[in-house]
Amino acid sequence: MGAHATHDHIVHFYHLAALDWVDIVSALKADAKAVSNLGQKLSSWGGNSYNEVKASQDRLKTFVGSGQLGVYGSGYWGHPAMKLSPEVNMLAAHHYLQALDYQREINKVVAILGSKTPHIQNVAVGGVANAINLDSPSTLNMERLYYMKTLIDKVGDFVENVLLVDTAAVAAFYAEWTKYGSGVTNYLSVPDMPMDTKGTTFTLPGGYIPDGDVSKFQAIKSYQDPFFRDNVKESIKHSWYDGDWDRHPYEEDTAPKYTDFQDKGKYSWVKSPTFKGKPAQVGPLANVLCMFAAGHEPTKKYATKMLDTISALAGAKVGIAALHSTIGRIGARSIRCAVLYDALKAQWQALVENISKGDVKTFNHPTFPAGEQRGFGFHEAPRGALSHWIVIKDGAIKNYQAVVPSTWNAGPRNSQDAMGPYEASLIGNPVADAEKPLEVLRTVHSFDPCLACAIHMVDKTNNEIVKVKAV
Amino acid sequence: MNVLVLGIGNVLMMDDSVGVRAVEELQGRYHFSDGVELLDGGTSGIELLSHIEGRDYLIIIDALKSGHPPGTIVRADGEDVPARFMTRISPHQLGLSDVLAAATISGRLPANLVLFGIEPKTIELGLGLSDEVRASFDKLLETVVQELIRIGCTAEPAVTPSSGRTLWESQ
């Protein structure tokens, strides 16, 4: 989980969101010497030497010069909302290329524990299907464990001294974006990385903050906590499902009924979740604010480092209130990445210590008593709070509903017609060029919309220059 | 020869799944020569980068809407392949287009790219394939096998073929 989130957050910033803020074409004009100096001033990272920056810039020049920039079909080069200097653009582009290497390393940890990637295969009801035997070459053994440690160690410097610093720099140079995109400021996150089998103590706290007021934080304390269990509902008033109701997940059904787009009626496949009857934002920002409110020391440390870096670069004191924004969501993702990375290191250590004590159990056989059973489980996923709800009757599944992070954020209006986080966050966003709504992308991308539900069909109709021939 | 045959698509969206189903069937029906790897890419994004880098050949199988009758198999190669993936459901989404872009910009794009597409009929929630796509499915597999043989790989029919078709054809 730690490795997966670290990977996911690095990729989100450099390879999904960064090109909304960084102009690669402008980067070609940068003086490589000045870029290297800037990089060394901002961070202790060893990968900002003149030679390395120059090599990245040469590669970029070749790429752009050969007319291949078109592969970034929707890049808004030269857009009036692009504000970074050529040097800052080039530094970010240099780290974009380096990030390709680091994401690969940390994803190998996911592959080792998950048996393969993509599509990990080790998760089972009751535990994980990872055999541990230090004497066997085909299970999780010391050689594998230390290979994981090597991979984990490689990435730490990059997370703290490149990702965290770069996102702080983007936030400082685009300081006006701390004023846009706050949207829904009820924040929900769940505790994660349990330290006992019952799920009553957690490495990472979670809970609920209403109205953006961290002093009103209320913790979710266990996997059984009624505060979470009793306060989640979903509405389908504006969703393409049969009926019009507000229900608890145990009582829901998911019966598709498409009606075409109705401005006042049903217009989305996404349901509309609420917590305590109100929309809630989920994701790294919600998680960081809740962990901060809970007094979680690593979160306070990295949040302070981020805010201090922004303040120094912007030349003005920036406080935690600036995080309620589009750019705040991006900064919070880096803070969370650094927190998760430290937790990952601690988890590796705890695993090795347990194994050395002879504890190699990875699975508790589940039993399902007769009659009707209800249960829920949650996880703080890279895009936010994820919960699954199940009703089992006489050993068979009677109802199963998943309330997933992008549903919380992307949901249409709820039964009270209150806006969800995406919609609310776009109110007041500036748009310099309506034909190229880069600013809208900035805000929507800051939530890290999920991809797994997408359709990957390639469409030739918008691109006549490409030839295919029937065989 | 280091070849990746990559099937992509969403297995829950009927004909969109054809690339993934093709890879499963190829794996079950043939033994390929060393150096040929088949991969179910599903709806993955950047995780695929490390699988793509450093290959001599990358062969992608996907649903491809190009205005032909449903079930039509089309082939694209070279520079046309990354361009095929530029039009996405949402702008900037981190899909195969971005993976190919990242491989290109870092100088690790395979030298030889081939895309086999099949014209979809139905992209709706469901596990099976439409009749039209199913009717062309064996031809699609044969076309990919012929491509592999053409570039110098071998494909022997499996002694005891296995198939995942019963799972996804019975709905």
Side-chain angles (χ1 to χ4, degrees):
Chain A
M1 186 203 134
H4 175 242
T6 304
H7 174 259
D8 207 282
H9 292 337
I10 292 173
V11 167
H12 176 268
F13 178 65
Y14 286 105
H15 308 122
L16 183 87
L19 298 184
D20 295 345
W21 309 89
V22 173
D23 187 336
I24 289 190
V25 177
S26 151
L28 299 180
K29 289 181 279 190
D31 170 22
K33 186 82 199 139
V35 176
S36 172
N37 289 342
L38 173 70
Q40 290 172 27
K41 195 183 97 190
L42 288 175
S43 152
S44 60
W45 170 244
N48 287 332
S49 71
Y50 170 75
N51 285 340
E52 286 165 288
V53 171
K54 187 78 177 64
S56 290
Q57 194 178 31
D58 288 346
R59 180 176 287 172
L60 213 57
K61 277 183 179 151
T62 308
F63 179 75
V64 175
S66 62
Q68 296 183 85
L69 199 58
V71 292
Y72 293 102
S74 47
Y76 288 136
W77 327 121
H79 191 283
M82 292 286 195
K83 297 274 168 69
L84 300 179
S85 69
E87 280 68 33
V88 178
N89 280 322
M90 186 57 229
L91 190 63
H94 175 51
H95 295 158
Y96 172 106
L97 291 170
Q98 290 178 325
L100 288 172
D101 293 328
Y102 288 94
Q103 64 85 24
R104 183 191 302 109
E105 298 300 300
I106 199 70
N107 204 35
K108 286 180 189 164
V109 177
V110 179
I112 292 168
L113 290 176
S115 306
K116 69 191 260 292
T117 168
H119 316 315
I120 62 164
Q121 301 214 322
N122 66 321
V123 180
V125 177
V128 287
N130 295 77
I132 301 173
N133 182 344
L134 300 187
D135 299 323
S136 167
S138 57
T139 65
L140 196 57
N141 53 33
M142 267 313 167
E143 182 265 330
R144 294 273 93 187
L145 284 164
Y146 273 91
Y147 180 47
M148 280 165 52
K149 176 93 166 73
T150 309
L151 294 166
I152 293 167
D153 285 348
K154 275 187 192 170
V155 178
D157 198 17
F158 188 83
V159 170
E160 187 174 347
N161 294 315
V162 184
L163 175 67
L164 199 77
V165 174
D166 282 356
T167 46
V170 167
F173 297 136
Y174 283 102
E176 74 275 18
W177 279 87
T178 59
K179 291 183 295 207
Y180 307 128
S182 62
V184 171
T185 56
N186 304 315
Y187 296 100
L188 178 68
S189 85
V190 291
D192 215 326
M193 291 199 179
M195 296 305 284
D196 59 20
T197 55
K198 300 282 182 216
T200 56
T201 56
F202 296 87
T203 304
L204 307 169
Y208 180 64
I209 296 171
D211 309 316
D213 183 350
V214 291
S215 72
K216 292 187 191 155
F217 169 72
Q218 184 172 346
I220 295 166
K221 297 195 179 89
S222 75
Y223 278 143
Q224 293 81 32
D225 196 333
F227 177 58
F228 182 77
R229 184 192 65 202
D230 298 342
N231 284 312
V232 177
K233 274 190 174 180
E234 291 194 289
S235 157
I236 58 162
K237 181 177 178 186
H238 295 292
S239 311
W240 287 315
Y241 301 99
D242 197 16
D244 176 4
W245 41 248
D246 237 337
R247 284 186 192 164
H248 187 276
Y250 287 146
E251 313 296 336
E252 278 186 42
D253 54 38
T254 302
K257 190 179 182 189
Y258 182 70
T259 62
D260 213 339
F261 287 92
Q262 302 170 332
D263 285 349
K264 306 270 181 209
K266 292 179 181 281
Y267 60 89
S268 173
W269 283 113
V270 183
K271 291 180 180 176
S272 193
T274 52
F275 193 77
K276 292 176 74 104
K278 291 185 174 166
Q281 183 181 150
V282 302
L285 173 57
N287 189 219
V288 163
L289 290 173
C290 287
M291 292 195 292
F292 190 93
H296 187 244
E297 286 302 329
T299 303
K300 284 161 75 179
K301 178 178 120 183
Y302 290 116
T304 304
K305 176 165 178 170
M306 159 79 59
L307 294 171
D308 287 352
T309 308
I310 299 173
S311 302
L313 289 171
K317 181 76 187 152
V318 173
I320 196 156
L323 294 180
H324 304 286
S325 63
T326 293
I327 205 78
R329 270 186 291 276
I330 290 175
R333 191 168 288 108
S334 295
I335 296 169
R336 179 170 194 268
C337 190
V339 171
L340 265 285
Y341 175 79
D342 282 1
L344 168 65
K345 278 195 296 187
Q347 291 268 321
W348 182 90
Q349 192 65 41
L351 175 63
V352 170
E353 281 167 16
N354 280 351
I355 293 172
S356 70
K357 286 183 220 146
D359 178 1
V360 294
K361 194 175 172 190
T362 59
F363 180 72
N364 295 309
H365 196 276
T367 53
F368 300 101
E372 187 169 298
Q373 311 293 329
R374 294 178 163 204
F376 66 102
F378 54 63
H379 161 50
E380 185 68 20
R383 284 156 201 81
L386 167 70
S387 58
H388 284 213
W389 307 76
I390 190 167
V391 180
I392 299 170
K393 188 159 187 206
D394 297 331
I397 296 172
K398 188 179 159 201
N399 194 8
Y400 196 104
Q401 300 290 333
V403 185
V404 307
S406 290
T407 304
W408 283 98
N409 289 335
R413 296 194 179 188
N414 64 20
S415 60
Q416 309 299 311
D417 286 331
M419 287 183 226
Y422 279 15
E423 185 183 358
S425 68
L426 289 170
I427 307 289
N429 259 234
V431 176
D433 177 352
E435 294 296 311
K436 295 176 179 169
L438 173 62
E439 299 89 339
V440 174
L441 282 182
R442 285 177 174 173
T443 291
V444 174
H445 282 166
S446 72
F447 287 96
D448 190 4
C450 85
L451 170 76
C453 37
I455 301 169
H456 274 255
M457 190 177 69
V458 288
D459 185 346
K460 152 177 186 295
T461 46
N462 286 345
N463 196 345
E464 292 302 324
I465 56 163
V466 172
K467 301 277 188 292
V468 292
K469 72 173 198 295
V471 293
Chain B
M1 183 78 75
N2 184 351
V3 182
L4 178 68
V5 181
L6 175 67
I8 58 173
N10 187 333
V11 296
L12 303 177
M13 302 297 284
M14 294 201 58
D15 289 346
D16 193 53
S17 70
V18 66
V20 172
R21 298 312 181 196
V23 161
E24 288 171 354
E25 285 300 302
L26 288 168
Q27 207 138 30
R29 291 193 202 181
Y30 293 92
H31 286 304
F32 295 100
S33 45
D34 289 348
V36 178
E37 189 186 338
L38 295 105
L39 183 69
D40 160 10
T43 57
S44 298
I46 202 87
E47 300 95 322
L48 296 175
L49 184 62
S50 59
H51 296 277
I52 287 172
E53 292 171 336
R55 305 284 183 173
D56 299 315
Y57 268 87
L58 171 62
I59 299 174
I60 300 169
I61 313 173
D62 194 9
L64 176 70
K65 206 172 172 196
S66 51
H68 292 92
T72 306
I73 299 164
V74 297
R75 181 184 187 281
D77 58 24
E79 288 178 4
D80 283 350
V81 175
R84 309 292 321 124
F85 291 95
M86 272 172 48
T87 315
R88 284 152 287 168
I89 286 296
S90 77
H92 249 42
Q93 199 171 57
L94 201 60
L96 198 62
S97 158
D98 303 79
V99 179
L100 294 176
T104 306
I105 200 170
S106 55
R108 295 171 182 144
L109 192 70
N112 302 287
L113 298 177
V114 180
L115 166 67
F116 287 106
I118 186 160
E119 184 81 25
K121 168 91 183 307
T122 311
I123 307 282
E124 284 173 7
L125 203 61
L127 289 179
L129 297 174
S130 66
D131 290 344
E132 288 83 348
V133 168
R134 191 173 299 179
S136 301
F137 191 72
D138 284 348
K139 185 184 169 195
L140 173 67
L141 302 187
E142 182 58 27
T143 307
V144 176
V145 167
Q146 288 308 320
E147 180 79 19
L148 285 166
I149 292 169
R150 190 186 68 76
I151 63 176
C153 305
T154 63
E156 302 290 331
V159 183
T160 49
S162 62
S163 170
R165 294 181 86 161
T166 48
L167 176 70
W168 53 270
E169 285 194 342
S170 61
Q171 356 163 19

